[in-house]
Amino acid sequence: MQKIIILDFGSQTTQLIGRRVRELDTFCEIMPYNKFPKDDPSVIGVILSGSPYSVHDPEAFKVDLTQFVGKVPVLGICYGAQFISHTLGGRVEKADSREYGRANLETVDTTNPLFKGFEQHSQVWMSHGDTITAIPDGFRVIGSTKDVKNAAFSLTPSPSPKGEGSKYIANGEAPVFAVQFHPEVYHTQQGKTLLRNFVVDICGSRQEWSAASFVDTTVAELKEQLGEDRVILGLSGGVDSSVAAVLLNRAIGDRLTCIFVDHGMLRKNEFQQVMNDYKVLGLNVIGVDASEKFFADLAGVTDPEQKRKIIGRDFVEVFNEQARLANSQLSIVNSQFKWLGQGTIYPDRIESLNITGKVIKSHHNVGGLPKEMHLQLCEPLKWLFKDEVRRVGRQLGMPEHLIGRHPFPGPGLAVRILGDITREKVRILQDADDIYIRGLREYKTKLSGEQAARVLAAGVPAELSNGELEISLYDQVWQAGAILLSTVRSVGVMGDERTYEHPVALRAVTSTDAMTADWAHLPYDFMARVSNEIINKVRGVNRVCYDISSKPPATIEWE
């Protein structure tokens, strides 16, 4: 399979580059800057990402460009562009002032293949403290802004009408392109056009990567990998583990056993609803109500990290016990479970192996296998981004309400309740959250233009009518939920009586990958309606607030 290699120099937007390439139906792999695969004929192009470092920093990440420059087309972005210039004889110096934010290409060479179809004065997004003051010999400037003369430059051999793959590789020499702006971010208006020009036209992608091709290829690979072995998988009710289960079920059928543990802190009625969904999907699922154990072990615990550790420990204990019982019911020893299935997705692995050495988060799916289980690991979704997982789920015919479900923390509502955990507090939060989520699903708005295009690009099943798209608020936000401030009480008045009850905070964010997130600007009439319903119907709540913090500096969850 053809692939684009994205060499990661530590930029926060490296994953976004990968998602943009995948949107062009082209497989890509994000690799640490120093792990370029040698002698891999499937590589058709290389992209160098941005970086938090200056090329002059002693700790700056460096790569041997001779591994790929001249052999396959190369695109350097921001630090990648500066590294190309610095390494090949150009000059990079500290800018008089940090070049950050919107800018416009005042001159752009639309005859260059990278800028085919570009409009003059197209908006781009800058984010760098250094600037390229001289480009290497043989390169030429192909784009400039008011303040950045060398905003884009290239070394482009004359197009060759012969040969396979890229028509721009002439006499064995592949072109090199460099841009000091970020084409992968939304604010670069024609960034997708630039990346399409590079990936499809210049690198020669056949655009064969799709949800349908992934399903066919992965099912075949799973059949070969697993043979006649049995697999056990822990379900959470979320989209990742659910899609992984359906893929495995398609490959090995009833040799897959799933375990769905109810720790008592799921959303209202969620355990039974999800179990019904799994039954419709034909999955072999063992549902376990372990809430008594979890509530007993969490009694009196208020520290958020301690809550997470207790829930994680208890989940492993319950899962292992259920796996042992399921194994004991298999009559033939050789037919017992040999694989542990997991819904690990690509960002989980990237986050946990951040090249700067600073782990963004420790993910529950990449912590290794419990030694006592003696199982091998099977991760059918390990190359997919979240939006691709949803596309695969739709390709598999899964119900939309399961595919489009918002991300939900593994510890459940335990990390959305400030303070200790009791059944009564969970009941209050479940009721408030249920009103909020139902309201988001029921409230529809009409979108047009770029807003509608973004929704459609994310794979949400909706159709344009007269240039407009009607879609629920739920499908417009990345994640939403209610938080119970159980360590706080506020004075209120209901009827003629004084109340002294808990506030509830509502949270809704927009994001593409949860690495960064902005608070969702929900309509005032919707907020008024939901607030009124929660206060009137949820016993124990007399005040509703809305969280307008972005990530960073805040996180999406409160604990």
Side-chain angles (χ1 to χ4, degrees):
M1 182 195 304
Q2 292 179 318
K3 68 174 131 179
I4 298 288
I5 294 295
I6 300 169
L7 291 182
D8 182 14
F9 290 87
S11 170
Q12 288 187 330
T13 61
T14 301
Q15 281 195 44
L16 195 50
I17 301 172
R19 292 183 69 252
R20 295 289 178 260
V21 173
R22 296 281 183 87
E23 287 169 6
L24 296 168
D25 300 324
T26 303
F27 182 70
C28 67
E29 187 172 352
I30 297 172
M31 309 191 74
Y33 67 97
N34 57 354
K35 300 292 185 183
F36 181 77
K38 296 180 180 178
D39 302 321
D40 186 345
S42 66
V43 177
I44 60 171
V46 175
I47 298 177
L48 309 183
S49 83
S51 175
Y53 293 110
S54 161
V55 294
H56 299 296
D57 286 347
E59 297 179 348
F61 300 135
K62 297 177 173 61
V63 63
D64 179 5
L65 294 177
T66 62
Q67 296 177 91
F68 44 82
V69 166
K71 299 174 183 176
V72 294
V74 176
L75 172 63
I77 295 174
C78 196
Y79 174 91
Q82 294 173 356
F83 183 80
I84 288 171
S85 179
H86 177 72
T87 306
L88 299 182
R91 188 165 60 250
V92 179
E93 298 179 286
K94 190 172 184 62
D96 292 336
S97 61
R98 179 172 165 80
E99 294 164 347
Y100 179 84
R102 293 176 177 85
N104 293 91
L105 291 174
E106 296 211 338
T107 60
V108 57
D109 181 2
T110 56
T111 66
N112 187 280
L114 191 68
F115 285 127
K116 184 182 73 174
F118 256 63
E119 300 172 358
Q120 296 294 333
H121 307 293
S122 184
Q123 177 181 288
V124 297
W125 187 264
M126 297 285 188
S127 180
H128 53 264
D130 290 348
T131 193
I132 297 170
T133 54
I135 61 177
D137 290 343
F139 284 75
R140 65 186 184 90
V141 176
I142 57 174
S144 304
T145 69
K146 179 182 177 181
D147 299 317
V148 184
K149 176 185 176 183
N150 302 312
F153 54 98
S154 72
L155 176 66
T156 316
S158 299
S160 172
K162 299 179 181 180
E164 297 181 357
S166 172
K167 63 183 178 181
Y168 293 98
I169 298 179
N171 303 318
E173 288 294 318
V176 179
F177 303 90
V179 295
Q180 290 201 79
F181 55 88
H182 287 269
E184 71 275 19
V185 303
Y186 167 71
H187 297 94
T188 296
Q189 292 176 339
Q190 291 186 276
K192 188 171 183 178
T193 298
L194 185 150
L195 290 172
R196 175 182 289 277
N197 289 341
F198 178 73
V199 171
V200 179
D201 291 348
I202 295 168
C203 295
S205 168
R206 293 189 293 266
Q207 296 185 280
E208 298 171 327
W209 174 260
S210 66
S213 67
F214 175 83
V215 170
D216 292 342
T217 302
T218 303
V219 168
E221 290 175 349
L222 287 171
K223 288 180 177 179
E224 183 177 351
Q225 177 188 18
L226 302 174
E228 297 299 315
D229 293 346
R230 291 184 176 273
V231 179
I232 194 162
L233 180 146
L235 289 169
S236 67
V239 62
D240 298 340
S241 65
S242 299
V243 172
V246 175
L247 263 176
L248 280 162
N249 184 60
R250 181 164 293 192
I252 64 172
D254 61 6
R255 284 183 284 114
L256 169 69
T257 298
C258 304
I259 297 174
F260 182 27
V261 177
D262 180 7
H263 49 37
M265 287 152 284
L266 298 173
R267 284 177 161 152
K268 187 173 182 178
N269 301 323
E270 186 173 34
F271 180 72
Q272 193 55 54
Q273 289 170 357
V274 172
M275 285 295 291
N276 291 339
D277 285 335
Y278 288 150
K279 184 177 180 180
V280 171
L281 291 169
L283 298 177
N284 175 27
V285 183
I286 300 170
V288 186
D289 180 0
S291 57
E292 290 291 345
K293 173 179 177 60
F294 283 88
F295 278 112
D297 291 349
L298 286 168
V301 178
T302 59
D303 179 71
E305 190 62 23
Q306 192 63 22
K307 289 183 197 176
R308 288 180 177 273
K309 288 180 178 179
I310 290 171
I311 293 170
R313 180 201 67 202
D314 283 4
F315 178 85
V316 170
E317 290 178 2
V318 173
F319 182 86
N320 286 353
E321 176 61 18
Q322 292 299 318
R324 186 189 65 76
L325 290 173
N327 244 341
S328 67
Q329 294 173 8
L330 297 172
S331 56
I332 304 172
V333 174
N334 290 337
S335 70
Q336 294 186 342
F337 300 113
K338 295 183 180 177
W339 298 84
L340 175 67
Q342 286 192 337
T344 313
I345 64 175
Y346 202 24
D348 300 336
R349 299 190 297 134
I350 297 170
E351 287 176 352
S352 300
L353 299 172
N354 187 272
I355 63 163
T356 62
K358 300 175 182 177
V359 175
I360 298 171
K361 66 177 182 180
S362 297
H363 198 275
H364 62 279
N365 274 351
V366 291
L369 294 169
K371 292 180 180 179
E372 65 272 16
M373 294 189 74
H374 305 293
L375 298 175
Q376 301 176 73
L377 190 59
C378 178
E379 300 171 302
L381 307 180
K382 64 182 179 181
W383 291 112
L384 299 186
F385 291 98
K386 177 71 79 174
D387 52 344
E388 292 177 310
V389 174
R390 291 193 167 109
R391 290 191 183 99
V392 167
R394 293 185 180 104
Q395 181 66 31
L396 291 165
M398 295 173 62
E400 187 59 35
H401 67 267
L402 194 58
I403 296 168
R405 184 176 183 266
H406 288 175
F408 189 63
L413 299 180
V415 292
R416 292 183 180 176
I417 295 174
L418 305 193
D420 65 325
I421 307 299
T422 66
R423 284 192 179 273
E424 175 61 10
K425 290 179 181 180
V426 170
R427 192 274 308 166
I428 292 172
L429 186 53
Q430 283 178 333
D431 288 347
D433 183 82
D434 183 58
I435 291 171
Y436 181 36
I437 297 301
R438 279 193 294 104
L440 287 168
R441 290 187 183 277
E442 293 167 1
Y443 192 102
K444 304 288 178 61
T445 63
K446 291 185 177 180
L447 304 178
S448 60
E450 189 61 38
Q451 286 182 310
R454 286 207 308 273
V455 168
L456 292 172
V460 176
E463 293 183 1
L464 282 172
S465 177
N466 298 322
E468 289 186 322
L469 193 70
E470 187 174 68
I471 189 168
S472 72
L473 289 176
Y474 186 89
D475 286 330
Q476 293 179 51
V477 301
W478 169 268
Q479 187 171 343
I483 300 94
L484 179 64
L485 311 186
S486 77
T487 57
V488 177
R489 288 184 181 270
S490 72
V491 175
V493 177
M494 290 189 180
D496 294 325
E497 296 183 4
R498 174 184 184 274
T499 63
Y500 192 52
E501 295 177 330
H502 299 298
V504 161
L506 305 182
R507 182 80 158 132
V509 297
T510 57
S511 180
T512 56
D513 51 20
M515 303 291 288
T516 60
D518 194 11
W519 60 277
H521 295 225
L522 300 179
Y524 285 163
D525 65 324
F526 166 78
M527 298 296 293
R529 185 188 310 171
V530 167
S531 172
N532 186 61
E533 188 174 353
I534 289 174
I535 291 171
N536 285 331
K537 293 184 177 180
V538 181
R539 188 179 70 255
V541 175
N542 67 355
R543 191 177 299 271
V544 174
C545 312
Y546 187 56
D547 183 349
I548 59 170
S549 310
S550 296
K551 175 187 179 181
T555 56
I556 295 176
E557 300 293 346
W558 277 45
E559 290 193 343

